[in-house]
């Protein structure tokens, strides 16, 4: 696992987009296509904006949805389907994008998207870390053992409060209690992982991810076991790290 500490959110977005685009181009050159997992949330604003400006043969790229609230339609302001449609899918001419629709039949969605996801390897996964250390919507203690590509998860209060704090919902009662999420195991199958984490409010989760033990109590800590995962943080998110952090330190 590598670490990149960048100046601010804009630099984070540019760095991740450039690195991911390079990997996607290489996959297309080698295999004729590339497969990409796309995350959502406030941590991905600058990443997706920068990625849509990359010159890529997008018609050879297939995208996959990381997670979605159960029961939310794509017209809801907090819907990740709507988020991805507006910020990414409709801005680049992808070969295909496989949504996890929150108001669909959940069992059918899990089966259909999971089957397509596991049909071929994933070249690049773009993810984030929650304030509680979650990876996708795998809140602590996360299931590190299941090999299902997607699963239904219960969202803990810390996760739900983060959604309120970021302005996606007006109150805790408005936040759904269940979601569809890519499993930890499935995320770890990606050839490259870029984990973007801005803001001081996530500094403790970043410290536990990088300096603590690998444990389901900090789901993102599993990234320590991926040889091609890069955690990209701004100065605020890096504020609790020590220079003894056992990863490759770089500054961009």
């Amino acid at each position: 696992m590598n670490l990149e500490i960048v100046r601010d959110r804009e630099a984070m977005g540019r760095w991740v987009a450039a690195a991911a685009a390079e990997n996607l181009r290489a996959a297309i050159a080698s295999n004729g296509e590339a497969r990409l997992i796309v995350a959502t949330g406030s941590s991905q604003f600058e990443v997706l904006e920068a990625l849509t400006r990359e010159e890529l043969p997008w018609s050879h790229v297939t995208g996959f949805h990381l997670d979605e609230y159960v029961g939310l339609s794509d017209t809801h302001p907090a819907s990740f389907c709507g988020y991805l449609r507006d910020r990414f899918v409709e801005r680049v001419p992808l070969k295909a994008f496989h949504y996890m629709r929150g108001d669909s039949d959940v069992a059918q969605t899990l089966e259909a998207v999971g089957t397509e996801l596991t049909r071929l390897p994933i070249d690049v996964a773009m993810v984030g870390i929650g304030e509680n250390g979650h990876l996708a919507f795998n809140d602590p203690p996360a299931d590190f053992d299941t090999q299902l590509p997607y699963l239904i998860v219960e969202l803990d209060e810390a996760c739900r409060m983060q959604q309120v704090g970021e302005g996606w919902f007006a109150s805790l009662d408005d936040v759904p209690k269940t979601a569809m999420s890519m499993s930890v195991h499935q995320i770890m199958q990606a050839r490259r992982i870029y984990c973007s984490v801005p803001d001081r409010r996530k500094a403790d989760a970043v410290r536990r991810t990088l300096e603590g033990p690998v444990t389901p109590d900090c789901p993102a800590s599993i990234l320590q076991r991926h040889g091609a995962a890069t955690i990209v943080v701004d100065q605020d998110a890096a504020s609790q790290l020590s220079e003894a952090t056992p990863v490759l330190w770089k500054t961009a």
Side-chain angles (χ1 to χ4, degrees):
M1 181 174 67
N2 297 327
L3 173 67
E4 290 282 347
I5 301 178
V6 299
R7 183 177 61 257
D8 52 27
R9 293 179 65 111
E10 287 73 23
M12 180 191 72
R14 291 193 300 271
W15 194 98
V16 174
E22 181 180 353
N23 298 147
L24 294 172
R25 291 188 196 101
I28 293 167
S30 296
N31 306 315
E33 65 176 313
R35 290 157 64 83
L36 169 69
I37 294 169
V38 189
T40 56
S42 65
S43 67
Q44 304 300 310
F45 289 156
E46 293 81 8
V47 173
L48 292 179
E49 178 62 34
L51 188 59
T52 60
R53 295 197 298 266
E54 288 286 337
E55 293 293 331
L56 276 166
W58 287 108
S59 62
H60 295 272
V61 177
T62 297
F64 292 89
H65 195 161
L66 187 66
D67 47 23
E68 180 60 284
Y69 299 103
V70 170
L72 237 56
S73 75
D74 64 2
T75 60
H76 191 286
S79 163
F80 294 147
C81 287
Y83 175 115
L84 291 170
R85 180 192 63 229
D86 297 342
R87 289 179 170 85
F88 183 62
V89 179
E90 290 189 349
R91 297 182 62 184
V92 291
L94 295 168
K95 178 180 180 180
F97 192 87
H98 297 277
Y99 287 105
M100 304 284 289
R101 298 195 180 278
D103 57 353
S104 65
D105 182 293
V106 173
Q108 290 181 3
T109 297
L110 294 176
E111 181 177 359
V113 182
T115 296
E116 182 58 33
L117 178 70
T118 55
R119 186 175 61 82
L120 292 168
I122 295 297
D123 298 293
V124 176
M126 299 195 306
V127 300
I129 297 175
E131 293 175 24
N132 64 354
H134 73 210
L135 188 61
F137 263 148
N138 298 286
D139 285 336
D143 187 342
F144 281 4
D145 297 322
T146 182
Q147 296 193 10
L148 292 171
Y150 288 101
L151 60 158
I152 300 173
V153 294
E154 297 290 327
L155 303 180
D156 69 16
E157 185 169 318
C159 172
R160 294 169 64 228
M161 282 303 301
Q162 178 182 329
Q163 312 313 313
V164 176
E166 291 182 358
W168 301 109
F169 297 92
S171 71
L172 182 64
D173 289 339
D174 295 324
V175 185
K177 295 182 178 180
T178 58
M180 296 177 283
S181 178
M182 191 175 293
S183 68
V184 171
H185 170 82
Q186 185 61 50
I187 293 168
M188 292 290 285
Q189 303 314 299
R191 288 169 168 157
R192 298 271 182 173
I193 299 175
Y194 295 102
C195 184
S196 308
V197 198
D199 303 336
R200 191 172 299 272
R201 63 192 169 86
K202 294 189 177 181
D204 180 65
V206 168
R207 178 189 58 78
R208 291 186 292 119
T209 294
L210 296 174
E211 298 183 355
V214 175
T215 169
D217 292 329
C218 181
S221 65
I222 194 72
L223 295 174
Q224 293 180 33
R225 295 180 177 169
H226 195 291
T230 302
I231 312 295
V232 187
V233 298
D234 65 5
Q235 297 287 340
D236 286 340
S239 61
Q240 293 188 26
L241 294 175
S242 71
E243 293 189 5
T245 300
V247 293
L248 177 61
W249 276 78
K250 300 180 182 178
T251 302

